[in-house]
Amino acid sequence: MTTVNDPELQAKVKKTTEKISENMHIIANEPSLAFYRIQEHVRKVIPLIVERRGEVYQLQQDLQGKCYDMEYAIGAVKEIEAADQSLKNVQEALKNAIFLKQQLKYVESRRPKKDSNSSVYKRLSAHITLDLPDLDISGVVRETTNRVEQAFMSSQARNSSSASGSGGSGAAPELQRSYTTLH
């Protein structure tokens, strides 16, 4: 083999081999660099995706609830439409009831009033009048209360004097005036 000692050629060969070596190194590490970039991207994006997924789930629950409400409202409207005939029947019955009440009122106004058809209590109470005078009994109540208290106090004093005179050690309990009476 012959060797060529051309410095320019050797520089070009060296430069070319370095480029080839560099390219081989890049090609060999490209998949790992790509995976690193993918991993970096996933770590940044996953928390946001999880948060959005939770929001979408909540919106889905709300939407489902609103759909149930709408279906219930549609069912109620359809039932109201189906009740149209029943409501018309009720309206007719009310008109008939009002008409019959007016007829009864008219017939009663035209009929002469008879006392024989009224009840025994009505006839009896029509003749009884009871005029009660306005009575002021507060003074009487106060006076009666005072008399009862005085009588009780005097009987208590007699009991306590007889108990102390006979050598008994029991004293009669002391009573207080009640404030619930009329004053």
Side-chain angles (χ1 to χ4, degrees), residues 120-155:
V120 173
Y121 295 114
K122 286 184 181 177
R123 285 183 282 165
L124 181 63
S125 65
H127 298 291
I128 298 175
T129 58
L130 183 61
D131 293 329
L132 292 175
D134 292 335
L135 299 175
D136 184 26
I137 59 171
S138 62
V140 174
V141 170
R142 270 191 233 119
E143 184 179 335
T144 305
T145 304
N146 289 336
R147 284 185 185 171
V148 168
E149 285 178 358
Q150 288 174 359
F152 187 73
M153 294 300 246
S154 64
S155 69

Side-chain angles (χ1 to χ4, degrees), residues 95-108:
K95 284 180 183 178
N96 288 337
I98 291 171
F99 177 72
L100 292 173
K101 176 67 177 171
Q102 287 173 346
Q103 280 186 333
L104 284 172
K105 198 181 242 185
Y106 176 74
V107 168
E108 285 180 3

Side-chain angles (χ1 to χ4, degrees), residues 52-68:
R52 297 286 187 224
R53 181 179 180 195
E55 290 175 6
V56 167
Y57 182 73
Q58 183 62 38
L59 287 173
Q60 181 184 6
Q61 294 292 337
D62 292 345
L63 183 64
Q64 188 175 14
K66 292 190 186 338
C67 286
Y68 288 144

Side-chain angles (χ1 to χ4, degrees), residues 24-40:
M24 291 301 286
H25 182 70
I26 289 173
I27 289 171
N29 289 324
E30 183 65 27
S32 63
L33 184 63
F35 286 132
Y36 173 76
R37 296 291 182 201
I38 290 172
Q39 178 187 14
E40 188 178 50

